[in-house]
Amino acid sequence: MHSKTQSLLPAHSGFTPIDLAFHNVEVPVDMAYENLGKKNNPRNVTSSGQRKIAILCLLYVLQGVPTTLVLGSIPFLLREKLSYAQIATFSLSSYPYSLKLLWSPAIDAFFFRSIGRRKSWIIPTQLLIGTGMLLISRNVDDALESPEAYIYQLTISFTVLVILVATHGIALDGWALTFLPERHSSYTSACQTVGTTIGFFVSFTLFLSLNSQSFVDRWSLSRLTLGSYLSFWGSAYYLMAICLTLLRTEVVESSNEVAPGICAVYNRIWALCQLQHVQSVMIIHLFAKIAFAVNDNVTSLKMVDNGLQKGDLALVVLFSFPGELLGGWLAGNWMRRDRPLQPWIWMFFPRVVLCLFATLAVHRFPSHITPPWFLYLIGNAALSSFLSSVQLVSISRFHILVSDRFIGGTSMTLFGTFSTLGATWPKWFVFKGMDWLSVTNCSLPQNMVLSLNATGCASNQNNDLCDMTGSCVSESDGYYAVSALCMAFGVIFYVIYIIPSTKKLQALPLSAWRAIAD
């Protein structure tokens, strides 16, 4: 744990060693990079280390389950009856996850020493998240039957849940910095990646498969409702909170830890934000993911619109799951001690190319899906997941490496918040932009009038209503225009800003990432 006297290089006017690095002056790489990039031998992990790695992975699984529901699975369920503009309203529920930096200093400053600095927040939030899931599960299935009437209630309920999950994530990220023994600290980013990947797999692939009526009928299974799924994981949160309470000797941090005051945390994080290279990281996080915004949030929905069954989509994601795990493992081997961001840079442009292929797949989507076409979808999804996983491990390791342990939760949250915000803020504009640029009309027999509760036949519910008496005609699909704009911006931003900035960031010593207010 860094003490206050260890802070270096506050942001002042004039040139500092940090500024010199941004003007192409050589700055030596800090010796703290020495352990980065070395191969990990599982045989050297102690039994205590193995237990802690398992606990950390499980905690990130729990973190990933509700996050994936809000960001991915529930929009799929809503798409069956709502337009993209209405789904944009629900997407606002994910925004608190991008604003958690506002209250993260309180997580670092206040805790009960008898419980532990991080457990003081993790255990209560787990109990509250479990309670929230159980309460939402009581009426969520009825709300999904008529989502247009309950869209604001759904948005508010899941917004509260996301606030609790974000708070849990702040404490968990801070704990991850010191939870594992020093000799096993290189496994931290792998635990984050593996845990969140499993959480995504369970909440997206597995849930959507078992929620699909066609899938369960094909395999003679019972359909899993969202209410039942929330009830199960609400109980799992309760169970994990009890286990963390009992495993004192395993996971409680040292009681000698000095807690920073909340004003000191705010001042320190403000000083950190004033550093030029930290601002550069923020800019990269805020705008880099625009290139993938349409592909990550809309392409799968468009394929479902074109006839891909939810169960088949879940199978596509299922086959991409090994690619995510493989990407995480390879990223750890590719990362050099002085170039932790290099894998992230390498995978950026190939991801844009795959986004282009996915957009073309939507354009050429057949009326009947043949085995070769299904294999193409699997291959595209597997490669995308592989590249995304490599980038995730790379950027996570970078965040862990440069985070200030003195304000661990807030420091990790600073970078994580802008990373999440970069993925969430474009969503509303993407969905709205698609609706604004799309023109659909219901073609009816002469002298027939049909009253629709949304513009044209944009929602699936209006589409079905239109098909009863006529046909829904798409005169212009805004998906392609928005997708092209996002990918074009991503390529330009990558060449003009990301490549030169990341070279400078990786030339900085670790001491450059520590700052205090005057």
Side-chain angles (χ1 to χ4, degrees):
M1 179 66 61
H2 292 277
S3 65
K4 293 182 180 180
T5 59
Q6 288 178 295
S7 56
L8 304 170
L9 299 175
H12 296 296
S13 59
F15 287 99
T16 68
I18 301 172
D19 297 314
L20 294 176
F22 268 79
H23 289 82
N24 298 319
V25 178
E26 286 294 328
V27 180
V29 177
D30 200 286
M31 289 300 293
Y33 280 106
E34 284 297 320
N35 291 327
L36 182 61
K38 292 184 178 180
K39 292 184 178 180
N40 298 314
N41 187 349
R43 295 180 180 178
N44 296 332
V45 180
T46 63
S47 58
S48 175
Q50 291 175 355
R51 286 194 296 270
K52 288 194 172 186
I53 289 173
I55 292 172
L56 192 58
C57 285
L58 185 56
L59 286 169
Y60 275 105
V61 170
L62 291 176
Q63 180 73 14
V65 165
T67 305
T68 302
L69 279 178
V70 176
L71 296 179
S73 300
I74 294 179
F76 264 95
L77 301 180
L78 295 177
R79 179 58 189 139
E80 296 179 356
K81 298 182 179 180
L82 298 181
S83 67
Y84 288 115
Q86 291 169 316
I87 294 175
T89 300
F90 179 81
S91 72
L92 296 175
S93 61
S94 65
Y95 278 43
Y97 207 88
S98 304
L99 302 173
K100 58 184 179 180
L101 182 64
L102 298 177
W103 66 91
S104 62
I107 312 301
D108 276 318
F110 302 119
F111 64 91
F112 295 103
R113 194 175 302 280
S114 59
I115 300 176
R117 183 177 181 183
R118 304 305 177 187
K119 287 172 62 178
S120 295
W121 289 95
I122 289 178
I123 293 174
T125 53
Q126 286 181 346
L127 294 174
L128 290 173
I129 292 170
T131 302
M133 285 183 157
L134 292 174
L135 290 175
I136 295 174
S137 68
R138 298 173 60 182
N139 301 309
V140 68
D141 292 326
D142 293 335
L144 290 179
E145 290 296 322
S146 303
E148 192 168 2
Y150 293 96
I151 186 64
Y152 293 108
Q153 291 90 325
L154 287 169
T155 302
I156 293 172
S157 297
F158 281 98
T159 297
V160 174
L161 184 63
V162 168
I163 291 174
L164 294 173
V165 173
T167 304
H168 179 269
I170 295 169
L172 180 56
D173 287 342
W175 202 12
L177 293 175
T178 57
F179 183 60
L180 298 181
E182 185 64 28
R183 61 185 178 277
H184 304 326
S185 61
S186 58
Y187 286 95
T188 301
S189 59
C191 291
Q192 292 176 321
T193 302
V194 170
T196 53
T197 298
I198 293 175
F200 171 83
F201 171 77
V202 172
S203 271
F204 188 85
T205 307
L206 187 60
F207 170 70
L208 286 182
S209 296
L210 296 179
N211 181 259
S212 171
Q213 192 63 54
S214 60
F215 182 88
V216 297
D217 289 344
R218 182 190 307 173
W219 300 100
S220 301
L221 301 173
S222 298
R223 182 173 177 268
L224 177 64
T225 64
L226 180 58
S228 299
Y229 186 78
L230 288 171
S231 296
F232 172 81
W233 284 105
S235 302
Y237 266 96
Y238 274 118
L239 181 61
M240 190 63 186
I242 294 173
C243 291
L244 289 182
T245 303
L246 297 177
L247 294 176
R248 292 182 181 274
T249 58
E250 293 288 338
V251 295
V252 172
E253 296 180 355
S254 171
S255 60
N256 296 325
E257 203 170 4
V258 178
I262 188 169
C263 292
V265 177
Y266 275 111
N267 289 336
R268 189 149 176 165
I269 203 67
W270 175 248
L272 191 63
C273 291
Q274 291 178 300
L275 299 179
Q276 183 180 358
H277 54 287
V278 173
Q279 294 172 359
S280 180
V281 174
M282 294 177 182
I283 292 173
I284 290 174
H285 278 319
L286 283 175
F287 297 103
K289 294 178 183 177
I290 291 178
F292 321 121
V294 174
N295 186 65
D296 291 347
N297 297 297
V298 185
T299 296
S300 296
L301 295 174
K302 292 296 294 184
M303 289 185 180
V304 172
D305 287 347
N306 289 345
L308 184 65
Q309 297 295 319
K310 286 192 300 181
D312 292 334
L313 175 63
L315 285 177
V316 170
V317 180
L318 171 63
F319 285 110
S320 68
F321 181 64
E324 294 186 57
L325 298 181
L326 178 63
W329 178 78
L330 289 177
N333 288 273
W334 288 341
M335 280 189 292
R336 289 175 49 189
R337 65 185 63 178
D338 58 340
R339 294 289 184 268
L341 284 176
Q342 208 61 38
W344 187 90
I345 300 170
W346 289 341
M347 300 302 138
F348 188 93
F349 189 74
R351 278 191 71 187
V352 176
V353 174
L354 288 177
C355 289
L356 175 61
F357 287 161
T359 303
L360 294 176
V362 172
H363 179 68
R364 304 284 295 180
F365 207 87
S367 57
H368 176 70
I369 300 178
T370 61
W373 186 260
F374 195 67
L375 289 175
Y376 171 80
L377 297 180
I378 292 174
N380 187 280
L383 284 174
S384 296
S385 298
F386 171 79
L387 300 180
S388 177
S389 183
V390 171
Q391 286 194 307
L392 178 59
V393 174
S394 177
I395 202 69
S396 296
R397 182 57 182 159
F398 177 74
H399 290 166
I400 292 170
L401 189 68
V402 303
S403 289
D404 188 347
R405 268 61 172 174
F406 182 69
I407 51 170
T410 302
S411 186
M412 284 283 285
T413 299
L414 172 66
F415 299 114
T417 294
F418 281 93
S419 179
T420 304
L421 185 61
T424 54
W425 78 261
K427 289 177 62 176
W428 188 88
F429 296 96
V430 166
F431 284 121
K432 283 292 187 179
M434 286 177 53
D435 262 21
W436 290 335
L437 297 176
S438 296
V439 178
T440 60
N441 288 304
C442 189
S443 178
L444 300 173
Q446 193 174 8
N447 299 325
M448 181 173 290
V449 177
L450 181 63
S451 178
L452 299 178
N453 56 3
T455 302
C457 45
S459 70
N460 282 358
Q461 190 173 26
N462 285 344
N463 195 343
D464 294 339
L465 185 61
C466 179
D467 287 342
M468 293 175 61
T469 53
S471 60
C472 186
V473 179
S474 176
E475 298 181 5
S476 176
D477 193 340
Y479 166 79
Y480 302 106
V482 175
S483 181
L485 287 173
C486 288
M487 287 186 289
F489 174 86
V491 171
I492 295 172
F493 186 66
Y494 176 72
V495 174
I496 293 178
Y497 191 84
I498 292 179
I499 292 179
S501 295
T502 51
K503 288 181 180 179
K504 296 174 183 178
L505 291 172
Q506 295 182 109
L508 294 171
L510 291 188
S511 57
W513 301 90
R514 310 288 183 261
I516 59 173
D518 293 331

